[in-house]
Every structure is written in C-alpha cells, then in structure tokens.
Amino acid sequence: KQEVTQIPAALSVPEGENLVLNCSFTDSAIYNLQWFRQDPGKGLTSLLLIQSSQREQTSGRLNASLDKSSGRSTLYIAASQPGDSATYLCAVENTGGFKTIFGAGTRLFVKA
Amino acid sequence: GAGVSQSPSNKVTEKGKDVELRCDPISGHTALYWYRQRLGQGLEFLIYFQGNSAPDKSGLPSDRFSAERTGESVSTLTIQRTQQEDSAVYLCASSPDGRWKEQYFGPGTRLTVT
C-alpha cells in the first residue's frame, strides 16, 4: 500500500530564504509525482509534475527533483516570498490503477 | 479558458438525506478525479474516470457513495443517507490525459452534515 509522507509538517522562514520541502513514498511503482499548493479555503494549484522517467522539473523559483529508487522527492523554493505562504502537497499516481495518493502537506509561512 | 467548476460551493444537509455534487471539468480533459478532504486532513482519492473506460472506484469509502460521468463531460458524486463523518470538502480535478498530465482542481464543495 502506497504511503506518502511529507516533512516537515510546518515551516516558518524569513523572507528571502531558500528552502527545501521533502516528500517520501513507499512504493516506487509510480507514473508520476506532482507538487501542489493549497491556499486556505481554496482548491489546489498544480506547481510541477515529474514523470517517473524524469529526475527534475523547474518553474521559475521552484525546482522539484525525483529519486524514484529511493522513494523521495524534494521541492526547492528559492528566494522565498510572503506570497509563497501556503500548504504544499505532493501526490503520486500509482501504476496498476489510477489512484492518486497525497501526502498530508507542509504548511509554509514566509515572514516579511 | 475556463477552469474546473464545482457546484454547489457549500451544502448543508441533515443526516440521512441524499446529496448530489457536480463537477464540470475543463473542456477536452478526458480524465476526472474526485477527492475528499476532511478538516485538517489530507486528500483522499475517491474515484477516477478516463474517457469511456470503466472507472476506478477503489477509493469510495462505502456503498453510499457513487459517481457518474457521461463521456468526457460533467460528473456527479452522490452520497446517499449522509452521515456526519461525510462532512468534508469534496474536490474534483480533471486532466488532459490522466497519468501523463497535470491535474487541475476545482474550488471544491464544502459539505456539512448536521
């Protein structure tokens, strides 16, 4: 059974700091891994999608890596801004079915 | 273009009543997902539709939950004989091709069972 864990559960950093969010999964048989942000009371916004054959994806100040063999992904946020404050979720889509499994998320607060 | 829309945005119902939640995916998206997010918890996968293939219902928590989708259009999630533990935000997402493409989420329907 696939389990997705995100560490830390919460993080508070000063503006401008670079930071790393971690995601681990127990079953490496995945099609893809996706990072989302969720703002309070709102739906999810897709940030980056990494296919199982890829090792990383970049978008602006965000970089996500995937090490499928070790069951890990990281989301790197450069030069953090208060507008980055949100909950960040990672999710894996398993092979052998269509179920997407989400981690519990990391609540990020960037202080101005 | 228009994103994923869901209706209603909020629904309050009495225990034991049936509710129907609606999701309008992005036009042309063949894949559609339903998730549930209870207060303070992560997202739980409920069901997945891909084109005209048989849906993956493996996440539905009980036989009180059912969902339908006609072709690649609107989907409805029905909860019969609602219970208080059904209170949650129900999120719908669509994707151009499932697996290989990003999921785009709607704003969700907040269901409260009193």
Side-chain angles (χ1 to χ4, degrees):
Chain A
K1 178 187 173 186
Q2 178 74 272
E3 292 181 3
V4 180
T5 304
Q6 291 189 245
I7 295 172
L11 182 62
S12 180
V13 300
E15 182 177 7
E17 198 163 289
N18 302 326
L19 58 101
V20 175
L21 308 181
N22 296 290
C23 172
S24 62
F25 48 95
T26 55
D27 186 347
S28 62
I30 64 171
Y31 276 111
N32 62 55
L33 183 144
Q34 194 164 0
W35 283 94
F36 297 87
R37 69 174 279 169
Q38 185 173 31
D39 294 279
K42 298 185 179 181
L44 278 67
T45 302
S46 176
L47 298 173
L48 292 164
L49 172 73
I50 311 177
Q51 302 291 354
S52 61
S53 59
Q54 299 173 324
R55 294 195 65 84
E56 68 175 343
Q57 286 287 328
T58 298
S59 176
R61 295 183 293 108
L62 304 179
N63 175 276
S65 68
L66 174 64
D67 184 341
K68 202 171 71 164
S69 61
S70 68
R72 294 181 183 179
S73 175
T74 61
L75 179 66
Y76 175 82
I77 303 176
S80 58
Q81 303 171 357
D84 295 332
S85 298
T87 296
Y88 290 80
L89 299 165
C90 76
V92 297
E93 194 152 7
N94 278 9
T95 61
F98 301 92
K99 182 177 287 191
T100 301
I101 310 298
F102 278 78
T106 293
R107 290 192 315 279
L108 173 66
F109 180 61
V110 181
K111 297 171 287 188
Chain B
V4 178
S5 61
Q6 292 186 245
S7 60
S9 55
N10 280 285
K11 176 71 176 179
V12 180
T13 190
E14 293 179 353
K15 177 181 173 181
K17 295 283 181 67
D18 298 352
V19 296
E20 193 172 276
L21 312 180
R22 176 186 170 109
C23 172
D24 283 86
I26 294 172
S27 178
H29 281 197
T30 59
L32 187 146
Y33 305 75
W34 282 99
Y35 298 90
R36 176 172 73 177
Q37 187 173 31
R38 289 176 165 146
L39 186 64
Q41 298 187 22
L43 272 76
E44 300 172 71
F45 167 87
L46 296 177
I47 190 168
Y48 167 90
F49 294 93
Q50 171 67 23
N52 294 315
S53 302
D56 179 346
K57 303 180 181 180
S58 59
L60 294 178
S62 77
D63 59 8
R64 296 187 295 105
F65 287 72
S66 63
E68 293 184 351
R69 186 184 188 198
T70 304
E72 297 179 358
S73 62
V74 171
S75 176
T76 54
L77 176 69
T78 301
I79 309 173
Q80 295 178 311
R81 305 181 302 283
T82 52
Q83 304 293 314
Q84 287 186 330
E85 64 261 27
D86 299 335
S87 296
V89 175
Y90 289 83
L91 291 160
C92 172
S94 72
S95 171
D97 192 20
R99 291 177 173 170
W100 313 113
K101 300 292 184 182
E102 295 163 313
Q103 295 183 38
Y104 297 86
F105 278 77
T109 293
R110 181 176 298 280
L111 174 66
T112 304
V113 182
T114 61

